[in-house]
Amino acid sequence: MTTILVTTANGDTGRPMVDHLLNEGFRVRAMVRDDDERAQRLRDAGAEVVLGDLLSLRDVRTALNGAQRAYFGYPVGDGLVEAAVIFAEAAREQGLEYIVNISHFQARPDARSKATQNHWLAEQVFTWAGVPVTHLRVSVFTQWLLYISGLIRHGRYAMPFDPDSRFAPITGSDIALTAAKLFTMPEEHAGQALRVTGSVEYSHAELAAEVSRVLARDLPFEQVTVATFLELIDIPDDTARLKHFEAFAIDQREGRLAGVTDTATRITGRPLQTVEDFINERRSEFELPYVVPSRD
């Protein structure tokens, strides 16, 4: 039976990917940083859990030992290129059959965002290693809405982007299913960079209107600076996100996130989750547990 290593297995993409791969009949090894309740849920689902750090060659070698295929994901922050080099070297040593690497939709060598440029560099590293790889260049995660769920609960919708910038958000679970399906047919997509979006394109103002409709709330779009946004979501000192979001705002203004692809629907063979589906699954995160009395 083929064993697949899933890195960042407690993340928005990693968690559902474990379930999808188990359903496809693979043996799954889930790599996590902490042995907590989330790790136990992965064990309960049927995965083998290994503890490790993607910036440790020893840990990655151990995690990949005996695996044939692997998913590589890395959170926003420093260390992506180093982690990719470590992972690629360990994969090369072990003769890995196939890697699915998650990247940015707008990945390119001259990206303003260091995080986005690093995703492009990570793509090159995996290609140089000679291990068959598919790069999933993913659009904006619908999970972005969770950044402001606390604001939405109190009637405010604020984002650090232009209201008319366009993009087609996709949920982490749909990205996970797309990657899981790729593992069933690696020969068809190895060596490719696939651009992946949701099925519906919005401007930020239009997305605010859609969230308003689903929640039956008046949530007019409000544009704030990136620094103010980070303060609003309680991570004012996150320099990596500050720089990335500022560059990301320019990318959106230039239309680098615009457009819709059928990649995910074609590979998964099913409709993608809508924004309405996403919100309804998590309504408790967007609504107060009590009724706010009228001021009238």
Side-chain angles (χ1 to χ4, degrees), residues 32-205:
V32 299
R33 290 290 301 271
D34 300 305
D35 195 357
D36 53 18
E37 293 180 359
R38 298 173 301 167
Q40 187 57 48
R41 285 196 292 270
L42 293 170
R43 290 191 185 93
D44 293 342
E48 173 194 358
V49 173
V50 294
L51 303 182
D53 183 348
L54 284 171
L55 293 175
S56 164
L57 180 58
R58 183 189 324 182
D59 289 354
V60 173
R61 279 173 168 163
T62 299
L64 280 174
N65 185 34
Q68 290 77 46
R69 302 173 189 173
Y71 164 76
F72 178 83
Y74 195 85
V76 174
D78 295 331
L80 170 59
V81 176
E82 181 182 357
V85 170
I86 288 170
F87 203 86
E89 171 58 19
R92 186 191 61 79
E93 292 172 358
Q94 307 221 18
L96 216 64
E97 298 174 356
Y98 183 57
I99 294 172
V100 175
N101 166 48
I102 193 164
S103 185
H104 282 181
F105 190 78
Q106 72 280 23
R108 60 195 191 279
D110 60 345
R112 291 181 180 86
S113 165
K114 184 173 178 59
T116 297
Q117 183 186 70
N118 283 348
H119 273 287
W120 182 84
L121 287 170
E123 291 181 9
Q124 311 316 303
V125 167
F126 285 119
T127 300
W128 298 337
V131 178
V133 60
T134 299
H135 307 295
L136 281 183
R137 292 182 172 176
V138 177
S139 182
V140 181
F141 278 60
T142 312
Q143 273 80 359
W144 254 92
L145 291 172
L146 297 178
Y147 275 129
I148 61 168
S149 60
L151 299 177
I152 290 172
R153 283 199 298 271
H154 292 89
R156 191 174 179 188
Y157 190 110
M159 282 285 182
F161 308 119
D162 293 350
D164 56 351
S165 293
R166 304 193 68 80
F167 61 104
I170 183 169
T171 64
S173 60
D174 279 328
I175 297 166
L177 180 58
T178 301
K181 291 296 185 182
L182 288 176
F183 282 113
T184 69
M185 45 184 175
E187 66 286 344
E188 293 186 31
H189 296 96
Q192 298 180 25
L194 303 176
R195 303 187 94 198
V196 183
T197 74
S199 296
V200 180
E201 185 185 67
Y202 297 92
S203 69
H204 281 283

Side-chain angles (χ1 to χ4, degrees), residues 183-257:
F183 282 113
T184 69
M185 45 184 175
E187 66 286 344
E188 293 186 31
H189 296 96
Q192 298 180 25
L194 303 176
R195 303 187 94 198
V196 183
T197 74
S199 296
V200 180
E201 185 185 67
Y202 297 92
S203 69
H204 281 283
E206 289 168 348
L207 182 57
E210 175 64 1
V211 174
S212 297
R213 183 192 68 79
V214 174
L215 293 174
R217 303 275 304 280
D218 182 21
L219 298 165
F221 178 82
E222 176 186 353
Q223 184 177 3
V224 297
T225 66
V226 173
T228 297
F229 180 74
L230 295 180
E231 289 178 2
L232 289 172
I233 62 175
D234 294 325
I235 51 172
D237 301 320
D238 193 326
T239 304
R241 280 185 169 82
L242 174 70
K243 293 179 179 178
H244 175 57
F245 291 173
E246 287 177 339
F248 191 53
I250 298 173
D251 281 350
Q252 292 189 67
R253 192 177 307 137
E254 293 178 345
R256 295 185 184 274
L257 277 295

Side-chain angles (χ1 to χ4, degrees), residues 1-5 21-22 24-29 46-48 66 68-69:
M1 182 184 295
T2 298
T3 297
I4 298 177
L5 175 69
L21 290 171
L22 289 169
E24 292 286 351
F26 293 108
R27 182 183 293 114
V28 178
R29 183 177 297 156
E48 173 194 358
Q68 290 77 46
R69 302 173 189 173

